[in-house]
Amino acid sequence: MRVAHRPSSFQYVIIFSLLLIVSTQQYHQAEANELDDDILQALTYKIVNLGGYVHPSIKLVSPSPCCRRGIISSEDVTLGNDDQGFWVRVPPTYHLTRNLAMQTLEPLIPKDVLEYAPLSTLDDGALLLLLLVHLKGIGSKEWGPYLDSLPDRPGCGWYGDINNIADEEYKHVAQESKRYVSRVASGMAADYGAFLAKEHWPKEWQNSAEKAIEWSLCIVSSRGTAASPEYGGGVIKLVPLVDMFNHSPEHKGFKELTKEDVGIDASHLEGSFAVRIEKDYHPGEEIFVDYNLSDYAPEEWFMSHGFVPKEASHRQEL
């Protein structure tokens, strides 16, 4: 005859603690899922209202099969069975560009400041990071869905606690990068920080323009994409939702739609950024794009994106 073993009080404490840990993890996961759903819904609403397109099967998840966050297909999707042929098509009216930065920032800066620190001399990345800091500060409703999609702690190798980097070589490069970024942030904060909105900045920034600029610099470094100056005036821009797809060299890159792509009857779509459906997908399968950074060294990948893909690691070994 088998006799059931009665747990001791100590065992009850362990069991309760384990149950509490599991339930807490489940609660936080449910919370993350709800937040991801809200972000995707808000971005979809904005993009579609501006004439763009978001495939009904895409789903934002944290974590994704490969990373901290990514985009998956929630249903079976067969190549060629979708009239649009895209997962996402974001119109140029919802891109953060050089022209938008100049139009937004120039009226904020006093003329005497612009005489010795003209915005027009800044490169696209610098203008975009100032724009991002300002939009964050005013709590922009127009760009709110995009701002909400951005991580509080972006993944650049130099951002955050460098001591956690195990590889000594990467740690050294991160330290050098951090010192350089600090000098850049300090200089830009001294020139422009007083004129950027701060009201809605996160508490972690402690009203420090340097901290705000460092965060924004990492966002632009990790999410900025090359673009034609014909649409927005610069060669780098930030494209909402498109910048949330993770990287794989086995897939195609983003597509900036040209006149030839859209035709005469859809000229309003010219300059849109799109992610194409390139194969069949099953539920839960992650959707990747190629970042097209084949000339990046492993250190550049790590500093800009916080990871080193296999193809770059292999190149280093050679």
Side-chain angles (χ1 to χ4, degrees):
M1 183 177 69
R2 297 179 180 179
V3 179
H5 172 68
R6 184 177 182 180
S8 67
S9 58
F10 177 70
Q11 289 172 315
Y12 275 127
V13 171
I14 293 176
I15 293 170
F16 178 76
S17 298
L18 290 173
L19 289 173
L20 182 61
I21 291 171
V22 170
S23 62
T24 301
Q25 290 174 336
Q26 290 174 339
Y27 171 78
H28 288 307
Q29 185 60 56
E31 207 173 36
N33 292 342
E34 185 176 348
L35 179 60
D36 286 340
D37 289 344
D38 290 345
I39 288 172
L40 181 58
Q41 184 178 10
L43 282 170
T44 298
Y45 180 81
K46 188 68 181 180
I47 290 168
V48 171
N49 274 2
L50 289 171
Y53 175 77
V54 178
H55 197 286
S57 295
I58 71 168
K59 183 175 179 61
L60 185 62
V61 292
S62 299
S64 73
C66 90
C67 309
R68 287 188 299 177
R69 177 192 262 177
I71 294 177
I72 64 171
S73 176
S74 63
E75 300 175 354
D76 282 312
V77 174
T78 304
L79 178 64
N81 280 7
D82 187 273
D83 293 337
Q84 296 286 339
F86 299 114
W87 289 113
V88 173
R89 189 188 66 239
V90 182
T93 47
Y94 205 53
H95 300 175
L96 270 69
T97 65
R98 180 183 184 88
N99 286 351
L100 178 62
M102 290 294 293
Q103 293 164 10
T104 304
L105 298 172
E106 208 160 35
L108 305 175
I109 315 297
K111 290 183 179 180
D112 60 321
V113 174
L114 290 175
E115 287 179 3
Y116 71 81
L119 290 172
S120 58
T121 62
L122 298 179
D123 64 26
D124 299 340
L127 281 171
L128 289 175
L129 74 86
L130 289 175
L131 175 63
L132 206 53
V133 167
H134 180 67
L135 293 177
K136 193 89 167 173
I138 64 175
S140 171
K141 290 184 178 180
E142 180 182 2
W143 294 99
Y146 179 56
L147 297 174
D148 289 343
S149 76
L150 300 175
D152 295 331
R153 297 180 181 179
C156 304
W158 53 265
Y159 193 84
D161 189 358
I162 295 174
N163 293 323
N164 289 332
I165 301 174
D167 188 292
E168 288 299 322
E169 183 179 349
Y170 285 173
K171 183 183 291 187
H172 174 72
V173 176
Q175 289 168 341
E176 291 295 318
S177 299
K178 180 69 173 179
R179 281 192 282 269
Y180 173 74
V181 167
S182 295
R183 291 196 298 271
V184 171
S186 179
M188 295 191 74
D191 287 339
Y192 308 110
F195 314 110
L196 304 176
K198 302 177 178 64
E199 184 179 352
H200 294 277
W201 280 1
K203 292 180 180 178
E204 293 78 11
W205 293 357
Q206 300 171 342
N207 282 331
S208 166
E210 289 91 340
K211 290 184 178 181
I213 289 171
E214 286 185 6
W215 172 84
S216 189
L217 195 155
C218 183
I219 293 293
V220 174
S221 173
S222 60
R223 291 171 175 255
T225 186
S228 168
E230 188 175 351
Y231 315 108
V235 295
I236 299 175
K237 59 172 58 176
L238 292 169
V239 184
L241 189 56
V242 164
D243 65 9
M244 300 186 78
F245 289 86
N246 289 317
H247 166 75
S248 170
E250 299 174 1
H251 296 260
K252 294 180 180 178
F254 308 121
K255 174 67 174 175
E256 186 175 22
L257 303 182
T258 64
K259 293 177 182 178
E260 291 73 22
D261 294 319
V262 300
I264 298 175
D265 295 334
S267 58
H268 63 287
L269 299 178
E270 188 181 338
S272 296
F273 257 74
V275 176
R276 294 160 289 189
I277 299 173
E278 56 184 25
K279 69 180 195 70
D280 296 344
Y281 281 82
H282 302 294
E285 186 175 353
E286 185 156 5
I287 307 163
F288 292 98
V289 297
D290 184 357
Y291 290 176
N292 287 322
L293 299 174
S294 57
D295 58 338
Y296 264 33
E299 295 82 2
E300 291 176 296
W301 272 102
F302 185 70
M303 291 304 111
S304 296
H305 295 84
F307 68 93
V308 180
K310 290 181 180 179
E311 68 271 20
S313 299
H314 178 65
R315 189 168 64 249
Q316 184 182 41
E317 291 169 2
L318 297 177

